[in-house]
Each structure stands twice: as C-alpha cells, then as structure tokens.
C-alpha cells in the first residue's frame, strides 16, 4: 500500500474518532516515505510527505528538517515553506511564520495561482501579530471567495474577527464553517469559544470538548494563538 493511501486512510480514521488506527496508519505512511528518501535522496515528495506525517505526529523538529530538505531540492515549490510556517505559528513564532507564509506566496505567485489556504494562513498570522490588519482581512476574504469548500477559510476569518474583538462576526463564520464541514474541529472549537463568550456556556463547553476529541492538534493550533473563552 502506498504512503498516500495510508495518509488519507489515517485522516478518515481521525474523522471517525478512531485514534489508534489513525496513528498506526500515519506511522506506516512515514515508514514508506522514509524508504522513498533512502532509495532516492533527491526525492522531493518523500521528504515533503514525511514532513507532513512528522508534523501530525508532533515530531516538529523532524518535520522542519524534512521541509527544509524538500525546499532545497525543489526551490519553486511553495508547500514546504507553508508547512514550515504552520509549525512556527504553532510554536508561537508568528514573525517567523509570517515570513515563511509570505515566501510561499511569492513562489506561488510565479505560477500565477495561489492556494486559497495560503491566503488564509497569511490572514491568520497577521491577526496573531495584530499588524497589517486590513491586508490580513483581504487575504481571508480572498480565501473564502476562492475556496471550493470554504470551511477552513471561514475558520481562518473567524479567528481573525475573534482576535479583533468582533465576536458576532467571528461566531457567524465559525458556525458557517461547521455547517460546511462538520469534521472541522477548529471551527467547532471556535464556535464553542464564541458561545461561551456570548453567555451560552453549556453549549460552548460541549462544542469545545467535542472538538478536542475530534482533533486535538487542530484545536491547539488556534487555542495557543489566542482563541480561548
């Protein structure tokens, strides 16, 4: 079985709450990607995909190393810089994350197209830094407008509004994001935080607890960056 199939199967296990199977498939995928780079030390896909697996397994130093190797092999690939930015954001290095996301965007623009998710990343990091806010909101709006499935982009914009103290618009975006994708743990968590802030504590606490069960890492990504009741 290929590493890609194991990765996607792991994500299905995650959505189903099957945590043991999720971790098992991730580790197996990582082993296959390791075999790829052993067989071909210039394998961009091997290093990048192994980095994705390492990040999900919370081996962040290993993930950063693999992203850097992938970027060195394929200088025109934005994805490793985006992956690096996500880890730096998670660690609270928002300036470093902003630089990584902006670099990914510059590379992506050379191909005349930018992933809506990258617009959302650039929005979120500006919200966390509380700087260049007007531009940050424009990135979030572009992400929502250009996404075929906008749940993640709506979550990013909800986070942006929350960090600006606009609780009503944050709550609306989080609620819409959950409607678009009931498996979006970060959106469910955001909806819960907003509910608690709006005085609906029992409802909000239930949402937050369910979100942590679904995907603790996605919840922590935002909780550690200021999204808290």
């Amino acid at each position: 079985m290929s590493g890609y199939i194991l990765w996607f199967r792991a994500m299905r296990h995650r959505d189903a709450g099957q945590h043991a199977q999720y971790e098992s498939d991730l580790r197996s995928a990582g082993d296959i990607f390791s075999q790829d780079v052993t067989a071909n030390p210039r394998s961009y896909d091997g290093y990048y995909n192994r980095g994705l697996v390492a990040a999900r397994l919370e081996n962040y130093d290993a993930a950063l190393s693999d992203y850097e190797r992938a970027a060195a092999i394929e200088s025109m690939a934005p994805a490793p810089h985006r992956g690096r930015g996500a880890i730096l954001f998670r660690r609270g290095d928002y300036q470093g994350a902003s630089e990584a996301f902006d670099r990914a965007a510059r590379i992506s623009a050379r191909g005349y197209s930018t992933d809506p998710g990258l617009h959302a990343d650039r929005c979120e990091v500006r919200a966390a830094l509380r700087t260049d806010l007007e531009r940050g909101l424009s990135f979030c709006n572009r992400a929502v407008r250009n996404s075929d499935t906008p749940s993640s982009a709506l979550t990013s914009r909800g986070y942006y509004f929350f960090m600006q103290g606009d609780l009503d618009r944050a709550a609306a975006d989080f609620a819409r994001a959950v409607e678009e994708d009931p498996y979006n743990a970060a959106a469910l968590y955001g909806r819960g935080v907003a509910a608690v802030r709006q005085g609906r504590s029992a409802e909000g606490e239930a949402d937050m607890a369910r979100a942590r069960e679904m995907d603790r890492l996605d919840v922590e990504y935002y909780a550690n960056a200021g999204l808290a009741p």
Side-chain angles (χ1 to χ4, degrees), residues 170-225:
D173 272 349
F174 288 136
R176 183 179 162 198
V178 174
E179 290 175 3
E180 293 279 347
D181 179 6
Y183 295 109
N184 184 338
L188 182 61
Y189 173 76
R191 189 179 75 174
V193 169
V196 171
R197 289 285 187 102
Q198 291 174 327
R200 293 176 283 115
S201 296
E203 177 184 336
E205 292 289 349
D207 276 352
M208 290 189 292
R210 175 59 181 147
R212 291 188 183 98
E213 291 175 1
M214 289 167 61
D215 196 323
R216 173 182 57 83
L217 289 184
D218 279 0
V219 168
E220 289 176 353
Y221 188 85
Y222 291 96
N224 293 339

Side-chain angles (χ1 to χ4, degrees), residues 59-82:
N59 298 328
Y60 298 120
D61 288 339
L64 286 172
S65 177
D66 278 345
Y67 288 146
E68 289 166 4
R69 290 182 181 184
I73 292 168
E74 183 49 76
S75 62
M76 292 300 293
H81 300 288
R82 187 181 177 196

Side-chain angles (χ1 to χ4, degrees), residues 20-190:
Q21 297 95 320
Y22 160 74
E23 185 169 329
S24 175
D25 275 353
L26 275 183
R27 293 189 182 282
S28 295
D31 289 343
I32 290 174
F33 295 134
S34 289
Q35 294 170 14
D36 291 344
V37 299
T38 298
N40 178 11
R42 297 286 299 170
S43 172
Y44 165 82
D45 287 341
Y47 281 117
Y48 174 68
N49 289 314
R50 191 173 69 174
L52 286 176
V53 170
R56 289 300 307 181
L57 291 171
E58 301 180 74
N59 298 328
Y60 298 120
D61 288 339
L64 286 172
S65 177
D66 278 345
Y67 288 146
E68 289 166 4
R69 290 182 181 184
I73 292 168
E74 183 49 76
S75 62
M76 292 300 293
H81 300 288
R82 187 181 177 196
R84 181 172 178 273
I87 292 174
L88 296 177
F89 186 99
R90 184 180 292 280
R91 287 179 162 178
D93 180 1
Y94 303 122
Q95 187 58 50
S98 181
E99 292 168 2
F101 291 142
D102 285 348
R103 184 173 182 183
R106 288 194 298 272
I107 294 171
S108 183
R110 296 173 190 171
Y112 307 104
S113 177
T114 300
D115 186 328
L118 186 50
H119 291 314
D121 293 335
R122 299 174 83 194
C123 168
E124 290 177 351
V125 78
R126 283 162 173 77
L129 285 167
R130 292 183 168 86
T131 188
D132 199 14
L133 295 174
E134 185 174 345
R135 191 176 182 212
L137 180 56
S138 73
F139 285 138
C140 264
N141 288 337
R142 287 169 67 184
V144 171
R145 185 170 60 249
N146 296 335
S147 296
D148 293 332
T149 52
S151 181
S152 292
L154 287 164
T155 303
S156 298
R157 195 171 67 181
Y159 170 75
Y160 173 94
F161 285 138
F162 181 88
M163 295 298 286
Q164 301 314 304
D166 191 339
L167 191 58
D168 288 342
R169 286 205 282 182
D173 272 349
F174 288 136
R176 183 179 162 198
V178 174
E179 290 175 3
E180 293 279 347
D181 179 6
Y183 295 109
N184 184 338
L188 182 61
Y189 173 76

